[in-house]
Amino acid sequence: MTSGDPGIGPLRRLTADDLRTLFLFESLDDAQLSWLADQGRVERRNEGDLVYGEGDSAECFFVLLDGTVRLCRTVHGDQVEISRTAQRGVYGGATQAYLGDDRQYRNSMWALTDAEFFVLPAEQFAHAVRTWFPMAMHLLEGMFIGMRDTQTLIGERERLLALGSLSAGLTHELNNPASAAVRASTSLRERIAGMRHKLAMIADGRLDGRRLHALVGLQEEAVERVAKAPTLSPLATSDAEDELTDWLDDRGLAAGWELASTLVGGGLDVDWLERVRASVGEEDLEPAVRWLTYTVETELLMREIADAATRISTLVGAAKQYSQLDRAPYQVVDVHELLDATLVMFKGKISAGVRLVREYDRGLPSIPAYAAELNQVWSNLIDNALGAMGGDGVLTVRTLRQDDWLIVEIADTGPGIPDEIRPRIFEPFFTTKPVGEGTGLGLDISYRIVVNKHHGDIRVTSVPGNTLFRVLLPISPPEPPAG
């Protein structure tokens, strides 16, 4: 119901003394209070009634006299509770009528219990503010419009800066495997040319068909060994290379140490070289070994190219997961995939002095959520944690379940948040960073995404060496309305 509905007439009138008990009017003089008493009325709403609806014409200014109410906003079709209160004197409705452009209610108010209100028509409320407080009206108008414009511009700027920073990190990460692939492909071309040359030397008639077939068989075995080559410790690698180098030097092969490094990397040993010698003889041993070494090198280089291509593909996949490109805004998601995608995007910003610890409960269920916006939350919290540690510390990302909540924890070992400013960290435009380095909107945006949009909560505890942000998300939130 709204104030214009039939059946809700004035129950009684307030006196000037009654109005003086409300904190909003306590400093007005008798004439002003009497004018308000004449212009306003008292109205009652029953438990569960709509006091006024978002989007309706803003006709009245409401001051709570008795009862409990809640304020709601519609966000992407989902009605989100902003606040609830039983404090006498709180107000809502046509709160910005004095600006002249407040023609619609910007939120909805519901009566959670039977409630009573002092109701003032919007035009009378606007007249009172403009007439009685002309300077304050200009200040309020400037503050409201200025803050709205500032928040819009700074919000856009912050998103651009964050995108630029993450893009730079992603570009750096993509450049490493791309450069490796280019280097490997160049080396591969050289090795293949060398292999052709050695093959011509081997196949110039000095080897009969039987020995040549045996050599090709050894080549196939070398390819298989490369694919299964174990990863040796530095000490074991050094010992194996020394053994191969000695064997090659003893048989007069030049630069045996270069060949040994490649052969060991391919999982080949002295016993295998003895089989090569037995197949081709001492006279053709060197060209045969070099030809086979080129084979091993080409396989190792192709594996390096494949690894680089896989890393590039993984990075691109993580970027798509992070941006939620081509995906529905509201979907069922695995928070671990979102966290991992965000961490990939931040890899370039995680310095060598920061140790990343993942403690995931992989048994957690997938949940319905706005995935791209949750990634924005993770980005803000991780970015703040890295900034707090200054390049040295431990970043912990943890997931767990508590009752019907899925919890994501992001902790850092920085100096902590002082007690005196901790209650303010979620306020818009509040920042502890130096001028020009922070806008103070990151945690405010995160709070609104988690609390208002996902019906969750975000909490923080902090002592020097352990700052912990806990994001609580409902495992089974209500589905947003269609459209």
Side-chain angles (χ1 to χ4, degrees):
M1 285 185 274
T2 64
S3 58
D5 287 339
I8 306 182
L11 302 177
R12 60 186 175 87
R13 292 280 183 177
L14 294 186
T15 66
D17 288 338
D18 292 332
L19 290 174
R20 188 175 282 111
T21 64
L22 301 171
F23 65 83
L24 189 62
F25 306 130
E26 61 187 1
S27 298
L28 300 180
D29 59 34
D30 291 341
Q32 292 168 332
L33 290 170
S34 297
W35 185 87
L36 288 174
D38 290 339
Q39 299 297 321
R41 61 186 182 271
V42 174
E43 291 184 1
R44 178 176 292 275
R45 297 291 190 276
N46 297 323
E47 178 182 349
D49 282 352
L50 176 65
V51 181
Y52 59 82
E54 182 179 356
D56 290 343
S57 179
E59 302 292 342
C60 296
F61 178 77
F62 294 83
V63 182
L64 182 65
L65 300 176
D66 184 53
T68 302
V69 297
R70 69 183 181 118
L71 291 179
C72 299
R73 286 286 301 274
T74 301
V75 182
H76 292 276
D78 191 12
Q79 191 172 87
V80 177
E81 182 175 311
I82 301 171
S83 66
R84 64 174 61 196
T85 182
Q87 182 182 357
R88 187 173 186 270
V90 297
Y91 50 87
T95 54
Q96 293 157 15
Y98 57 86
L99 295 176
D101 61 352
D102 191 21
R103 305 321 303 166
Q104 292 183 331
Y105 292 118
R106 299 177 182 273
N107 50 48
S108 299
M109 180 184 285
W110 295 83
L112 293 177
T113 65
D114 291 346
E116 195 173 58
F117 302 89
F118 174 68
V119 181
L120 191 65
E123 292 185 1
Q124 276 69 30
F125 171 67
H127 171 78
V129 174
R130 292 193 190 106
T131 305
W132 298 344
F133 314 106
M135 188 176 79
M137 199 278 292
H138 289 300
L139 291 172
L140 287 170
E141 184 177 25
M143 181 180 69
F144 173 75
I145 296 175
M147 181 174 290
R148 181 181 60 190
D149 294 345
T150 299
Q151 188 165 6
T152 300
L153 290 172
I154 291 181
E156 292 175 354
R157 178 66 174 169
E158 183 174 76
R159 285 190 291 271
L160 286 172
L161 289 173
L163 179 61
S165 177
L166 291 176
S167 297
L170 180 62
T171 301
H172 174 75
E173 292 301 316
L174 286 169
N175 182 65
N176 289 336
S179 299
V182 171
R183 288 194 302 270
S185 62
T186 301
S187 298
L188 181 62
R189 185 177 294 108
E190 296 173 354
R191 299 305 182 272
I192 290 176
M195 189 163 59
R196 289 196 302 265
H197 175 68
K198 293 301 178 186
L199 180 61
M201 294 177 62
I202 293 172
D204 64 356
R206 290 183 295 177
L207 289 180
D208 59 29
R210 182 182 60 80
R211 287 188 173 186
L212 189 58
H213 279 294
L215 187 60
V216 172
L218 288 168
Q219 182 190 42
E220 293 298 326
E221 182 183 339
V223 171
E224 293 178 4
R225 287 204 181 195
V226 170
K228 301 175 183 178
T231 301
L232 302 178
S233 67
L235 182 59
T237 299
S238 178
D239 290 343
E241 289 179 0
D242 289 343
E243 183 180 10
L244 279 181
T245 300
D246 291 342
W247 188 93
L248 294 167
D249 289 346
D250 290 344
R251 282 149 186 84
L253 274 72
W257 59 272
E258 291 182 352
L259 301 177
S261 175
T262 301
L263 294 172
V264 169
L268 304 178
D269 53 22
V270 167
D271 290 340
W272 183 81
L273 287 177
E274 286 288 353
R275 292 169 55 200
V276 174
R277 185 170 68 89
S279 297
V280 300
E282 292 288 348
E283 182 180 352
D284 295 310
L285 178 61
E286 180 165 356
V289 169
R290 292 192 181 279
W291 180 64
L292 291 170
T293 302
Y294 282 134
T295 298
V296 172
E297 274 195 292
T298 57
E299 289 298 315
L300 291 173
L301 289 169
M302 284 191 289
R303 186 167 67 180
E304 185 177 344
I305 292 171
D307 289 344
T310 301
R311 287 176 60 193
I312 292 172
S313 177
T314 301
L315 287 166
V316 171
K320 289 183 66 176
Q321 175 69 268
Y322 178 81
S323 66
Q324 292 296 299
L325 192 64
D326 300 329
R327 302 191 183 190
Y330 193 77
Q331 58 183 294
V332 176
V333 298
D334 181 346
V335 294
H336 303 110
E337 293 179 359
L338 303 184
L339 289 166
D340 285 340
T342 304
L343 289 168
V344 168
M345 297 296 288
F346 271 88
K347 189 173 181 180
K349 296 186 69 174
I350 300 177
S351 65
V354 173
R355 182 166 63 94
L356 173 62
V357 177
R358 291 181 176 92
E359 297 179 1
Y360 291 168
D361 179 358
R362 292 291 184 177
L364 293 176
S366 298
I367 61 171
Y370 294 92
E373 298 191 33
L374 283 183
N375 283 341
Q376 188 175 5
V377 173
W378 315 143
S379 296
N380 290 334
L381 297 180
I382 291 171
D383 188 49
N384 284 347
L386 294 175
M389 290 187 290
D392 186 19
V394 179
L395 172 66
T396 303
V397 181
R398 183 183 299 113
T399 63
L400 62 148
R401 180 172 183 167
Q402 181 176 315
D403 300 325
D404 292 328
W405 297 99
L406 186 152
I407 300 175
V408 175
E409 296 183 346
I410 296 177
D412 68 73
T413 56
I417 305 171
D419 292 340
E420 61 270 18
I421 68 171
R422 195 178 311 154
R424 300 189 59 199
I425 61 174
F426 294 108
E427 293 179 9
F429 302 108
F430 179 79
T431 179
T432 59
K433 295 178 181 178
V435 174
E437 293 187 16
T439 61
L441 288 177
L443 290 179
D444 169 57
I445 292 171
S446 299
Y447 183 89
R448 286 189 278 115
I449 289 172
V450 172
V451 177
N452 296 347
K453 198 156 188 179
H454 288 86
H455 310 285
D457 198 6
I458 182 169
R459 304 169 185 172
V460 60
T461 58
S462 183
V463 294
N466 184 22
T467 296
L468 173 66
F469 280 86
R470 307 186 85 215
V471 176
L472 288 78
L473 299 169
I475 291 177
S476 300
E479 286 285 342

